[in-house]
Amino acid sequence: MTDARILERVMLAFEGERVPRGVERRLAAAPVAGATLFMAFNVGDPGQVRELTAGFQRAGEAGARKRGRAVDGPLLVAADQEAGQLMALGEATTAFAGNMALGAVGDEDLAERVGAAIGREARAMGVNIVYAPVLDLAIEPGNAALGIRSFGDDPAAVGRLGAAMVRGLQSAGVAATVKHFPGLGAVDQDTHHALAVVRGDRATLESHELSPFRAAIAAGARLAMSAHVAVPALSGDPTLPATLSRAVMTGTLRDELGFGGVSISDAFDMRALAQGATQAVEVIAAIRAGDDLLLTTADQTARRRIEATLVAAAARHLFEPADLDASSARLAELRGWLAGAGPPPDPDVVGSAAHTAISRELAERALTRTDRAPDGGAPAPSALPPSTRILAVMPEPADLTPADTSSTVAPGLGRALRTRFGAVEEVVIPGSPSDDEIAGLRMRAGSFDAVVIGTIEAHRRPAQAALVRAIAASGATTIAVALRTPWDAATYPGAVPAICTYSILRDSLEALARALAGEIGFPGRLPVAVALAGPVAPAAATR
């Protein structure tokens, strides 16, 4: 392989809502796999994204011709359009509640329909790879980087729903990416900031972490993204990220699980990997481990350093020619599959009425009540009358991890409740309210017929849990809502009605309002184990 061809292992990233001149020059100079789009850097409205991706493809074709190369398929254009807490393609796309809501429903057909809708909208904007579905098991409440991105904690259920999502995405001509291999749900550290270690033994990994990946690979997933976690049961090294381990990325992923698609690293700017000049070793190790693609970010200095390392390492014959040839063949096969997907959908499909209907169905079917009557059954329905004077309280949405776009979502609990109730006052609180703020809200609560208080990660933010307890202790009718992960419900007083929406997005909050008005019920079931004080109804039907 020539030095230039080794650069085909790079997924570019850049800042700008149009293709920058520097990217055009880069595409003319040497091959590239494609690019990843990020909401903060590249996304305005759907028409702009479609023009950006079309311009990127045109620049790639022009660059290939300038180098005397035949165009053998489209460049890869990818985005983290997971739904829920991570939606890289912007607010105009349909705001599906995400994986944990799907886990609460437990319906593979719905998961496939959601995947197909996400795929159609991505393709309409010129995106041909979606970095989804997440197959990590939600078994560690302290893992803020995962949260509602997971379907749940049951390996079989996650595998079935993940496989359905793969089928849906790929039915729309978009390549699905299963992640984060071999699974990072058991850690309580965010790998954006530090290396985490999965401590399970080999038997546990086989029955838990690896099980969903087997199912999704069997469903035909085209890509697999690595996790920057150490997995000593597979690699033998508690300091080696899976991304850099040949035992994991080739031995386990390909030889044992039979994955024949394209593997891609998680982002190279994450602090679980070495940064700066020492990152050269990580780059070489990743290619030698069997990673087909390296995911870069918009830091052009870092990207040039990665590319210089690849060229120098190839010149020194540090990579096995047979491995590189096999990798190139996998990339060519992926491009061929994408080329055969046919014309993209009409742009009008983005945020369409048909997709909104699916989103509302998901939001309504996911609603879960976790409080229980004294006999262990579901509590009797008790609709609030339309004249109820409600104090709506929710935390300011924030990005709890870099893999999060929640900060772009406006607080919407009060707005949603006003669709069913005539007198609603909304208070938006900080993520960790002060003692004075808690005392003030407790005093105000008595002026209302009911207080609907939402929490976001109250199990990790004790001040939010303290606020729920304070309002309940005031004697006000209190309804607590876990707006993100359901582990919050374990912090609520036992007598307080507790609801999980799994999402702060519009359709989920409006479904909550309809349920509180008695128009719909709470059919969802907890997709993860929550240490509640009283009896809990059975888990979702898929478990």
Side-chain angles (χ1 to χ4, degrees):
M1 176 175 288
T2 64
D3 287 350
R5 288 298 304 278
I6 191 64
L7 296 179
E8 192 179 38
R9 302 293 174 266
V10 176
M11 285 290 282
L12 302 176
F14 53 86
E15 296 187 23
E17 295 186 0
R18 295 186 297 176
V19 181
R21 293 294 300 274
V23 172
E24 293 178 342
R25 290 192 294 270
R26 168 64 184 82
L27 292 169
V32 68
T36 303
L37 304 186
F38 293 92
M39 185 177 186
F41 298 146
N42 309 116
V43 175
D45 58 65
Q48 169 268 316
V49 176
R50 187 179 175 109
E51 179 53 38
L52 169 65
T53 56
F56 183 69
Q57 295 291 355
R58 290 193 297 269
E61 292 171 3
R65 288 194 296 270
K66 184 174 182 179
R67 299 191 311 273
R69 299 277 301 176
V71 177
D72 57 357
L75 291 173
L76 312 182
V77 181
D80 278 304
Q81 187 68 359
E82 294 180 9
Q85 76 182 57
L86 184 54
M87 301 200 311
L89 292 180
E91 299 175 8
T93 59
T94 303
F96 294 102
N99 283 358
M100 193 164 283
L102 284 166
V105 177
D107 184 339
E108 294 169 48
D109 173 70
L110 179 57
E112 188 166 343
R113 286 188 285 130
V114 169
I118 291 172
R120 285 191 292 269
E121 295 193 4
R123 277 206 71 216
M125 298 166 74
V127 173
N128 53 28
I129 291 174
V130 169
Y131 293 147
V134 171
L135 299 183
D136 307 306
L137 303 179
I139 55 181
E140 173 48 66
N143 189 338
L146 183 57
I148 55 172
R149 299 169 70 196
S150 170
F151 291 107
D153 63 10
D154 181 78
V158 172
R160 286 192 291 270
L161 293 169
M165 181 71 75
V166 167
R167 292 193 298 270
L169 285 165
Q170 295 188 171
S171 72
V174 168
T177 309
V178 294
K179 62 184 185 184
H180 305 83
F181 187 80
L184 52 68
V187 303
D188 61 1
Q189 286 182 293
D190 187 340
T191 54
H192 290 91
H193 307 302
L195 179 68
V197 183
V198 177
R199 299 290 183 184
D201 60 23
R202 181 58 188 252
T204 299
L205 292 174
E206 286 286 349
S207 62
H208 288 75
E209 277 79 0
L210 297 181
S211 177
F213 288 96
R214 289 185 185 277
I217 289 169
R222 293 279 169 174
L223 291 95
M225 180 181 288
S226 68
H228 296 331
V229 293
V231 191
L234 300 179
S235 69
D237 187 342
T239 68
L240 181 64
T243 300
L244 312 182
S245 169
R246 189 170 181 85
V248 175
M249 297 307 297
T250 297
T252 304
L253 179 61
R254 297 201 183 279
D255 298 343
E256 295 182 26
L257 273 62
F259 179 64
V262 170
S263 60
I264 181 170
S265 74
D266 207 342
F268 253 70
D269 69 330
M270 295 167 67
R271 299 290 164 171
L273 301 182
Q275 301 298 304
T278 56
Q279 194 177 64
V281 175
E282 316 285 68
V283 171
I284 296 168
I287 299 299
R288 289 173 63 89
D291 296 34
D292 293 318
L293 298 177
L294 305 183
L295 177 55
T296 68
T297 56
D299 182 339
Q300 299 307 303
T301 299
R303 190 261 299 168
R304 286 190 289 269
R305 182 171 60 240
I306 289 169
E307 292 186 328
T309 298
L310 288 172
V311 171
R316 292 290 186 264
H317 308 290
L318 297 183
F319 306 130
E320 292 293 332
D323 289 346
L324 296 180
D325 289 344
S327 181
S328 291
R330 289 189 290 266
L331 287 168
E333 181 181 8
L334 175 59
R335 287 199 179 99
W337 183 83
L338 294 172
D346 189 278
D348 290 346
V349 76
V350 179
S352 64
H355 291 174
T356 299
I358 300 172
S359 176
R360 289 175 177 167
E361 177 188 349
L362 170 58
E364 292 182 1
R365 293 177 65 186
L367 286 176
T368 306
R369 279 193 72 162
T370 63
D371 54 307
R372 294 292 174 255
D375 63 358
S382 53
L384 300 176
S387 60
T388 303
R389 292 174 299 117
I390 297 175
L391 176 63
V393 182
M394 75 171 289
E396 179 75 33
D399 296 339
L400 303 184
T401 171
D404 200 338
T405 54
S406 298
S407 63
T408 66
V409 180
L413 181 58
R415 181 195 62 229
L417 291 172
R418 290 186 194 105
T419 66
R420 294 298 183 275
F421 303 98
V424 178
E425 183 174 328
E426 183 175 44
V427 175
V428 178
I429 60 172
S432 294
S434 68
D435 291 344
D436 287 345
E437 288 168 324
I438 292 172
L441 284 169
R442 174 175 173 156
M443 290 183 64
R444 292 182 64 185
S447 302
F448 295 85
D449 299 324
V451 180
V452 179
I453 177 167
T455 64
I456 298 175
E457 303 288 282
H459 66 286
R460 297 191 309 111
R461 295 174 162 187
Q464 288 186 35
L467 175 58
V468 176
R469 292 193 298 270
I471 291 178
S474 74
T477 297
T478 305
I479 299 169
V481 186
L483 295 174
R484 193 150 161 157
T485 55
W487 293 297
D488 283 13
T491 71
Y492 301 157
V496 171
I499 300 165
C500 301
T501 62
Y502 311 97
S503 164
I504 61 171
L505 301 174
R506 179 189 293 268
D507 288 341
S508 296
L509 298 184
E510 291 187 356
L512 170 67
R514 290 193 290 276
L516 293 179
E519 299 174 15
I520 59 175
F522 301 90
R525 291 292 183 267
L526 287 173
V528 297
V530 179
L532 299 169
V536 184
T542 57
R543 297 184 63 158

